[in-house]
């Protein structure tokens, strides 16, 4: 039985969002991070988990690209931005302005239009 490319796309987006959230969680524990000290993140398990999620998300997305049109798959990935904003608000108690919520609605409308097209 073959997995639906739409399910794979959704899974790739969700795993990618998880990766972004793990990276944020890990880096919040390491506020003095400097790019020239990249090795300092190695013992930081949330950062490593975030990288792992990104790797898995990429593999899933490759499967999607093999089955769906890029003009459908790529715009749909923008739903990840929406989920990151929502989860940032919930998990990290980040303030989300009205303008940002409006942008979320525009992104959602755009994805719907791409899906219908």
């Amino acid at each position: 039985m073959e997995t639906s490319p739409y399910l794979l796309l959704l899974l790739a987006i969700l795993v990618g969002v998880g990766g972004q959230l793990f990276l944020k969680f890990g880096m919040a524990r390491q506020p003095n991070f400097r790019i020239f000290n990249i090795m300092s993140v190695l013992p930081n398990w949330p950062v490593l988990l975030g990288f792992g999620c990104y790797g898995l998300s990429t593999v899933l997305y490759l499967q999607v690209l093999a089955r769906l049109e890029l003009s459908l798959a790529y715009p749909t990935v923008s739903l990840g931005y929406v989920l990151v904003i929502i989860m940032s608000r919930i998990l990290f108690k980040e303030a989300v302005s009205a303008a940002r919520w409006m942008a979320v609605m525009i992104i959602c409308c755009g994805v719907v239009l791409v899906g219908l097209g």
Side-chain angles (χ1 to χ4, degrees), residues 35-72:
I35 191 68
F36 298 110
N37 193 13
I38 193 74
M39 300 304 277
S40 69
V41 299
L42 289 181
N44 192 331
W45 69 266
V47 171
L48 295 178
L49 197 52
F51 284 141
C53 285
Y54 271 143
L56 178 57
S57 178
T58 300
V59 170
L60 292 168
Y61 190 63
L62 290 173
Q63 284 290 310
V64 170
L65 291 178
R67 301 179 195 177
L68 288 181
E69 295 174 358
L70 181 61
S71 61
L72 171 64

Side-chain angles (χ1 to χ4, degrees), residues 20-32:
Q20 190 64 238
L21 296 171
F22 278 120
L23 289 175
K24 172 61 179 171
F25 178 71
M27 294 314 294
R29 299 169 54 186
Q30 208 165 334
N32 297 323

Side-chain angles (χ1 to χ4, degrees), residues 7-115:
L7 181 61
L8 288 173
L9 179 57
L10 178 62
L11 192 56
I13 293 167
L14 292 175
V15 172
V17 167
Q20 190 64 238
L21 296 171
F22 278 120
L23 289 175
K24 172 61 179 171
F25 178 71
M27 294 314 294
R29 299 169 54 186
Q30 208 165 334
N32 297 323
F33 172 74
R34 299 288 178 259
I35 191 68
F36 298 110
N37 193 13
I38 193 74
M39 300 304 277
S40 69
V41 299
L42 289 181
N44 192 331
W45 69 266
V47 171
L48 295 178
L49 197 52
F51 284 141
C53 285
Y54 271 143
L56 178 57
S57 178
T58 300
V59 170
L60 292 168
Y61 190 63
L62 290 173
Q63 284 290 310
V64 170
L65 291 178
R67 301 179 195 177
L68 288 181
E69 295 174 358
L70 181 61
S71 61
L72 171 64
Y74 190 67
T76 306
V77 172
S78 65
L79 288 177
Y81 300 132
V82 173
L83 294 174
V84 165
I85 290 171
I86 292 168
M87 296 309 293
S88 296
R89 175 76 177 108
I90 294 169
L91 296 176
F92 303 116
K93 309 296 185 231
E94 293 182 3
V96 180
S97 67
R100 212 170 278 171
W101 286 120
M102 182 64 73
V104 164
M105 295 306 298
I106 291 169
I107 290 170
C108 290
C109 289
V111 170
V112 167
L113 289 174
V114 166

